[in-house]
């Protein structure tokens, strides 16, 4: 309730209190009135946020998983180290045997480079990289000091392209470029769209039912499970952006008939630009959860409108659900009636709620670290989102219809009809799907995490590494929904089984009996009277 919330926020100074209140929504009884939330604005200094930086969003999230490229971190080695293997985007080498995702490339800037400039060191690293590794292309990601000292990484990249005859992409993704990772997604989307997608002579795809899978990063093998299902039905996956993705496939993205958007937050820019430039519509899919997976598959089949494809879709759905449902039902017995917090970066805070519900767990608090208002309130609010100094920092890339390659892929009237039933070119956001009385929090911080746990006593909290152990020390199971705690996949049909197994395991483990939360064996107040301990 408003009163309880007031008590939590009371410790903040007035300005902070007013600010934080705007990032929290108490879900009202089912009204159609949209509930507004503040999002994608600066975290106030002093608050311990879970957010990362623009460099993390560009290099770590969107660009890093492209396997046949070498990704160079131009900066101090700490930035390179943090993004080395921490995110679980899995990759296997393709036919050309090239997979560099397990390597860490960095100019390891020292004080002298900061003072005298790091361009020469960067150029030398590119030369060595080409000589030793022969990647299909190279990316340079700028860290904060690069922008501060003014190294011209684009000039270094252009000169290297001439020397080596491969693309060298310079991402101006200094950590401070935005208020979170989200700015980095946008920077990555713009350059990949501008320089890579369509950079080929290939005009069309010869395979039927050709789709791109956008915003799927193959965390814990999610993308592989989705591809297994899609291939089984008869789809051809042109490229995956960017999990287990390759530069070579990315160039062909313009040849697909439909774009599937899993994580809209990180890739909606490219989805929109592909539609403007090549006429390819996009469908919001969600392959997390059994129902969401089935809904997404049915929407795809309806788009292509082929009877055999629709039948095959139904056959696969029937076969897979018959196989996994009995297993899920067993795990559900352990989980039924429990409650969860679901706080993840920019789309999983919403995507996982359906899967939780399918194993009998209700989400009582959810939110995103860095999503925008549309991820909470739906795409229709985009025109009303106020631009501020931070969001203006990264300009939208202006694209136009490609005179040679733009093709209407589906009769516009048929697409309009499909839109009535399926989420083509749209998503509705988290808030509409949440139940009355639940809480939605943007950029949840560590203080609030602990306070909301004390208030709502969730049975499990799903978030990330930065708060996992704080939560477990409070005696509550924590399930990382970024790294999956080194498990997974959690997407698709097999993923749902893994998830149900892992969540029920966290409830069933006797570990919790051995943990005494600090406040249970220590006095809350320590004081002395006349020198004697109380
Ligand atoms: Fe998209 Fe992601 Fe997410 Fe994200 Fe991330 Fe991630 Fe995430 Mo961690 S792209 S917004 S920037 S689904 S790395 S694979 S888990 S915060 S919710
Ligand atoms: C990032 C990557 C991250 C961090 C995960 C976490 C990931 O934001 O730079 O905080 O647990 O998924 O690996 O989101």
């Amino acid at each position: 309730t408003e009163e309880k919330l007031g008590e939590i926020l009371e410790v903040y100074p007035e300005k902070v209190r007013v600010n934080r209140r705007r990032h929290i929504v108490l879900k009202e009884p089912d009204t159609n009135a949209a509930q507004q939330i503040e999002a994608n604005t600066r975290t106030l200094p002093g608050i311990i946020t879970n957010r990362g930086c623009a460099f993390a969003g560009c290099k770590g999230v969107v660009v890093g998983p492209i396997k046949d490229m070498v990704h160079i971190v131009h900066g101090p080695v700490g930035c390179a180290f943090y993004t080395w293997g921490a995110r679980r985007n899995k990759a296997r080498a393709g036919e050309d045997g090239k997979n560099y995702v397990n390597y860490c490339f960095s100019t390891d800037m020292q004080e002298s480079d900061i003072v005298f400039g790091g361009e020469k060191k960067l150029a030398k690293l590119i030369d060595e990289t080409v000589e030793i590794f022969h990647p299909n292309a190279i990316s340079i990601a700028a860290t904060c000091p690069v922008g501060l000292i003014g190294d011209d990484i684009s000039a270094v990249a252009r000169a290297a392209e001439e020397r080596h005859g491969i693309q060298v992409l310079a991402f101006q993704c200094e950590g401070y470029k935005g208020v979170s990772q989200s700015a980095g997604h946008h920077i990555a989307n713009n350059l990949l769209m501008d320089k890579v997608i369509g950079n080929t002579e290939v005009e069309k795809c010869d395979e039927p039912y050709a789709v791109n899978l956008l915003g799927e990063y193959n965390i814990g093998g999610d993308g592989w499970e989705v591809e297994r299902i899609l291939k089984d039905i008869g789809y051809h996956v042109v490229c995956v952006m960017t999990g287990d993705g390759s530069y070579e496939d990315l160039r062909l993205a313009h040849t697909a008939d439909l774009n599937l958007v899993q994580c809209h937050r990180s890739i909606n820019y490219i989805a929109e630009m592909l539609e403007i430039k090549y006429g390819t519509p996009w469908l919001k899919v969600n392959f997390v959860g059994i129902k969401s997976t089935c809904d997404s598959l049915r929407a795809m089949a309806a788009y292509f409108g082929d009877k055999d494809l629709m039948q095959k879709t139904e056959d696969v759905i029937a076969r897979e659900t018959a196989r996994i449902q009995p297993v899920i039902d067993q795990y559900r017995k352990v989980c039924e009636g429990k409650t969860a917090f679901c706080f993840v970066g920019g789309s999983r805070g919403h995507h996982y709620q359906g899967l939780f519900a399918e194993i009998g767990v209700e989400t009582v608090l959810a939110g995103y670290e860095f999503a925008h208002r549309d991820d909470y309130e739906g795409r229709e609010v985009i025109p009303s989102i106020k631009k501020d100094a931070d969001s203006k920092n990264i300009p939208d890339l202006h694209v136009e219809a490609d005179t040679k390659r733009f093709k209407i892929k589906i009769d516009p009237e048929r697409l309009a009809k499909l839109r009535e039933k399926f989420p083509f070119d749209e998503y509705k956001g988290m808030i509409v799907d949440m139940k009355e009385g639940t809480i939605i929090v943007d950029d949840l911080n560590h203080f609030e995490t602990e306070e909301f746990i004390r208030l709502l006593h969730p049975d499990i909290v799903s978030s990330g590494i930065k708060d996992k152990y704080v939560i477990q020390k409070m005696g509550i199971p924590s399930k990382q929904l970024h790294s999956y705690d080194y498990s997974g996949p959690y997407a698709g049909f097999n993923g749902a089984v893994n998830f149900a197994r892992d969540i029920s395991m966290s409830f069933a483990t006797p570990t919790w009996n051995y943990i005494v939360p600090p406040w249970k064996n220590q006095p809350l107040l320590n004081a002395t009277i006349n020198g004697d301990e109380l």
Side-chain angles (χ1 to χ4, degrees):
T1 62
E2 194 63 54
E3 196 188 342
K4 291 255 166 58
L5 182 59
E7 284 168 24
I8 291 180
L9 303 184
E10 208 167 37
V11 301
Y12 289 138
E14 163 97 33
K15 254 187 154 166
V16 179
R17 185 162 62 236
V18 172
N19 173 294
R20 285 304 303 155
R21 183 62 193 88
R22 290 199 299 262
H23 292 263
I24 302 172
V25 162
L26 304 176
K27 179 71 195 270
E28 281 168 5
D30 219 15
T31 58
N32 285 328
Q35 285 183 267
Q36 195 173 320
I37 193 162
E38 184 165 313
N40 192 35
T41 53
R42 284 183 201 196
T43 305
L44 294 170
I47 278 182
I48 306 178
T49 172
N50 280 306
R51 282 174 164 181
C53 65
F55 161 78
C58 179
K59 191 272 169 187
V61 174
V62 179
V63 181
I66 305 173
K67 63 188 171 188
D68 53 351
M69 288 176 74
V70 159
H71 306 291
I72 293 177
V73 176
H74 187 33
V77 81
C79 301
F81 183 79
Y82 177 69
T83 46
W84 181 25
R87 186 162 175 266
R88 292 189 61 240
N89 46 280
K90 294 190 168 199
R92 279 191 208 112
E95 277 166 19
D96 62 6
K98 296 182 184 181
N99 176 12
Y100 310 102
V101 301
N102 292 329
Y103 287 90
C104 181
F105 295 83
S106 173
T107 46
D108 181 21
M109 274 181 142
Q110 304 292 316
E111 201 176 334
S112 61
D113 304 315
I114 303 287
V115 176
F116 299 108
E119 291 174 9
K120 285 203 183 96
K121 201 172 188 185
L122 176 61
K124 188 157 172 269
L125 173 57
I126 295 173
D127 294 348
E128 281 175 15
T129 300
V130 173
E131 198 185 315
I132 301 170
F133 293 96
H134 315 291
N136 292 342
I138 289 177
S139 80
I140 305 165
T143 57
C144 294
V146 171
L148 298 175
I149 65 173
D151 269 5
D152 189 349
I153 59 168
S154 298
V156 175
R158 270 196 308 275
E161 283 185 339
E162 277 175 26
R163 283 200 305 283
H164 302 295
I166 58 168
Q167 271 199 300
V168 181
L169 307 170
F171 291 90
Q172 224 93 52
C173 57
E174 287 86 350
Y176 58 74
K177 275 282 167 71
V179 301
S180 71
Q181 290 94 314
S182 179
H185 301 152
H186 199 168
I187 293 167
N189 275 237
N190 283 356
L191 203 65
L192 292 178
M193 184 70 201
D194 197 28
K195 296 270 198 263
V196 182
I197 294 171
N199 179 16
T200 166
E201 306 284 296
V202 181
E203 295 296 338
K204 63 181 196 28
C205 177
D206 295 328
E207 306 281 339
Y209 315 127
V211 297
N212 293 319
L213 184 50
L214 310 185
E216 170 50 65
Y217 301 95
N218 202 30
I219 307 299
D222 277 353
W224 290 333
E225 166 65 359
V226 175
E227 277 190 84
R228 176 188 75 83
I229 300 164
L230 296 184
K231 282 182 184 156
D232 197 1
I233 294 174
Y235 291 102
H236 172 72
V237 180
V238 177
C239 91
V240 183
M241 271 182 227
T242 51
D244 194 26
S246 74
Y247 167 81
E248 297 303 331
D249 291 345
L250 205 61
R251 294 161 74 187
L252 304 172
H254 62 289
T255 65
D257 303 313
L258 174 66
N259 287 317
L260 310 174
V261 176
Q262 172 68 28
C263 171
H264 43 291
R265 180 64 271 138
S266 62
I267 214 90
N268 70 85
Y269 319 93
I270 281 181
E272 250 188 288
M273 290 189 278
L274 285 173
E275 180 148 29
I276 298 169
K277 193 162 176 187
Y278 303 112
T280 324
W282 59 269
L283 170 69
K284 173 72 194 100
V285 292
N286 179 15
F287 290 110
V288 175
I290 304 166
K291 182 177 181 296
S292 300
T293 299
C294 297
D295 288 350
S296 300
L297 294 174
R298 289 191 172 116
M300 291 172 65
Y303 172 83
F304 287 101
D306 179 284
K307 280 236 156 60
D308 289 345
L309 190 76
M310 286 176 172
Q311 189 53 52
K312 188 75 211 262
T313 302
E314 292 307 324
D315 292 348
V316 168
I317 289 176
R319 187 197 69 209
E320 294 284 314
T321 48
R323 177 172 68 85
I324 65 160
Q325 198 59 55
V327 192
I328 301 260
D329 291 344
Q330 288 301 318
Y331 290 126
R332 192 181 163 115
K333 288 180 193 156
V334 181
C335 305
E336 188 86 61
K338 303 254 197 276
T339 58
F341 283 9
C342 190
F343 180 77
V344 209
S347 63
R348 293 178 176 193
H350 185 192
H351 283 155
Y352 273 84
Q353 292 187 29
L355 183 52
F356 264 129
E358 282 165 355
I359 58 168
V361 178
E362 194 196 327
T363 303
V364 291
L365 180 146
Y368 304 119
E369 286 174 28
F370 50 74
H372 299 199
R373 273 183 60 204
D374 43 301
D375 304 299
Y376 291 102
E377 300 172 51
R379 251 184 107 74
E380 59 278 6
V381 302
I382 291 178
S384 66
I385 295 178
K386 270 201 260 86
K387 288 250 177 197
D388 61 15
D390 293 306
S391 46
K392 276 190 204 139
N393 222 357
I394 299 130
D396 284 324
L397 182 69
H398 179 73
V399 289
E400 283 172 8
D402 184 309
T403 45
K404 282 207 202 102
R405 286 171 168 175
F406 183 93
K407 256 200 335 246
I408 297 283
K409 306 280 187 327
I410 176 171
D411 170 32
E413 263 176 45
R414 205 165 82 76
L415 184 60
K417 268 248 140 56
L418 287 172
R419 275 208 182 98
E420 291 167 15
K421 248 177 105 181
F422 303 109
F424 283 94
D425 308 321
E426 71 137 18
Y427 42 82
K428 291 211 152 36
M430 170 194 283
I431 295 177
V432 283
D433 279 347
M434 296 208 46
K435 282 201 186 136
E436 175 187 342
T438 58
I439 304 179
I440 298 103
V441 191
D442 177 64
D443 190 14
L444 180 70
N445 59 52
H446 281 217
F447 165 72
E448 289 164 15
T449 302
E450 290 187 38
E451 290 301 310
F452 281 122
I453 288 176
R454 286 195 184 100
L455 182 69
L456 300 172
H457 303 292
D459 297 297
I460 190 161
V461 174
S462 52
S463 55
I465 194 69
K466 292 160 196 157
D467 48 16
K468 179 182 178 72
Y469 297 101
V470 175
I471 294 158
Q472 293 201 157
K473 283 174 187 169
M474 292 175 88
I476 292 166
S478 144
K479 178 78 226 168
Q480 293 188 65
L481 282 185
H482 299 257
S483 69
Y484 302 160
D485 291 303
Y486 327 108
S487 181
Y490 287 160
F493 298 110
N494 289 335
V497 174
N498 291 338
F499 185 77
R501 180 201 60 212
D502 289 355
I503 298 296
S504 57
M505 219 156 48
S506 25
F507 293 138
T509 171
T511 315
W512 307 112
N513 301 331
Y514 298 103
I515 290 182
V516 184
W519 59 89
K520 288 213 173 135
N521 64 3
Q522 278 167 20
L524 286 174
L525 293 171
N526 286 314
T528 52
I529 293 180
N530 295 335
D532 295 330
E533 279 219 11
L534 274 178

